Amino acid sequence: MEPKYKRIVLKLSGEALAGDQGYGIDPNIVNSISSQIKELIEMGVEVAVVVGAGNIWRGKTGSELGMDRANADYMGMLATVLNSLALQDSLETYGVQTRVQTSIEMRQVAEPYIRRRAMRHLEKGRVVIFAAGTGNPYFSTDTTAALRAAEIEADVILMGKNNVDGVYSADPKLDATAVKYDTLSYLDVLKDGLQVMDSTATSLCMDNHIPLIVFSLLEEGNIKRVVLGEHIGTVVGGVNS
C-alpha cells in the first residue's frame, strides 16, 4: 500500500518513552518505536521526530515549586536532548541513519537546527530528531512540533500516546461517560478546552492547516497504520478547520 503521508512529524511525549514505569527511559518502548520508524523509512516516508521530557523533568512543575520559570524550562529543554540521543542510538542499532538537531547549540553531541539542512537530511532518508524545544522558555514541545511541521512543510503531525488512544471529552480514567472523538476541528479544541495540545501549538496548526492525529503507541504497528491512512485515534484539524 502507498503511504497517505510522505513527510511526517512524529510527536512523542516523554511519558511515552517511560512506559509503565512512569519515569526514565524504557528500552523496550524506545526499540518498538525505532522498529516502527524503520518500516516507515523503508516505505519511503520522510520522518522527523519531536520528543518531550515529561519522563525526566517538567519546566512547569519546577516553576510551581518556586523555581524561576525560564531556568526550569531550560532544564526541560536539556532533558529532551537526553531522550533524543537515546532514540537516536536505538534507531541506529536498527540501521536507520539519524541526525539530532538542537535549538540550543551543543555541537559535541548534535547539529544546530538549520531548516534547510533538516530538509536535506529528510530527502536523503535520514530521520531528523528535533531536540531542545524551540530554544525559548515558555514554549512547549507541542509548540515545537507545530513550528517544525510548518517549517519543513510536513503533511501531518502524529501524536503518539501511551495512556490514551485518542481525544476524549473528559479523562476516560476518571469519567466513565467520556466520549471519544473520531474527528475534531482545531476551533473545537480551543473552544472546549480539550487537552490535546496547548493553545499556542493548536493555533499554529490551525493557522497553517496542519492536521494532527492522536493515537496510541502501545499497539505495535499503529504508526504504520496511521501513515497508510487507516483511521485510528482522533483526527484533528485540516484545511477546513
Side-chain angles (χ1 to χ4, degrees), residues 129-193:
I129 305 172
F130 297 122
T134 65
N136 301 288
Y138 298 95
F139 290 93
S140 69
T141 52
D142 285 348
T143 300
T144 305
L147 176 62
R148 296 292 182 253
E151 287 180 305
I152 68 171
E153 301 172 6
D155 299 323
V156 67
I157 299 173
L158 307 185
M159 182 171 284
K161 300 288 191 178
N162 72 333
N163 57 357
V164 69
D165 61 350
V167 181
Y168 286 78
S169 57
D171 187 338
K173 294 181 179 179
L174 302 177
D175 186 349
T177 65
V179 177
K180 179 184 173 184
Y181 297 107
D182 288 328
T183 59
L184 282 168
S185 72
Y186 280 117
L187 284 175
D188 290 333
V189 172
L190 292 170
K191 176 171 59 72
D192 297 336

Side-chain angles (χ1 to χ4, degrees), residues 67-235:
M67 288 187 67
D68 176 80
R69 174 64 188 269
N71 283 339
D73 281 356
Y74 280 124
M75 289 174 64
M77 291 179 222
L78 296 179
T80 69
V81 178
L82 299 179
N83 285 336
S84 297
L85 293 176
L87 180 59
Q88 178 185 43
D89 183 79
S90 176
L91 282 164
E92 292 185 344
T93 64
Y94 281 87
V96 178
Q97 291 190 17
T98 312
R99 297 290 188 274
V100 174
Q101 291 195 343
T102 60
S103 299
I104 299 173
E105 287 198 25
M106 46 188 81
R107 292 178 182 270
Q108 289 84 349
V109 297
E111 297 179 358
Y113 170 66
I114 300 173
R115 173 181 173 268
R116 287 181 178 271
R117 182 179 291 177
M119 294 178 76
R120 185 62 176 148
H121 287 321
L122 293 171
E123 289 165 0
K124 289 185 174 181
R126 298 167 182 153
V127 174
V128 181
I129 305 172
F130 297 122
T134 65
N136 301 288
Y138 298 95
F139 290 93
S140 69
T141 52
D142 285 348
T143 300
T144 305
L147 176 62
R148 296 292 182 253
E151 287 180 305
I152 68 171
E153 301 172 6
D155 299 323
V156 67
I157 299 173
L158 307 185
M159 182 171 284
K161 300 288 191 178
N162 72 333
N163 57 357
V164 69
D165 61 350
V167 181
Y168 286 78
S169 57
D171 187 338
K173 294 181 179 179
L174 302 177
D175 186 349
T177 65
V179 177
K180 179 184 173 184
Y181 297 107
D182 288 328
T183 59
L184 282 168
S185 72
Y186 280 117
L187 284 175
D188 290 333
V189 172
L190 292 170
K191 176 171 59 72
D192 297 336
L194 300 175
Q195 300 300 308
V196 182
M197 310 171 90
D198 61 74
S199 59
T200 304
T202 302
S203 298
L204 193 55
C205 286
M206 180 174 65
D207 291 345
N208 290 282
H209 309 301
I210 304 169
L212 167 75
I213 302 175
V214 183
F215 66 101
S216 172
L217 273 178
L218 292 182
E219 189 174 340
E220 188 76 24
N222 264 1
I223 301 176
K224 180 179 178 181
R225 293 188 186 99
V226 173
V227 170
L228 288 174
E230 186 175 332
H231 190 97
I232 60 175
T234 303
V235 179

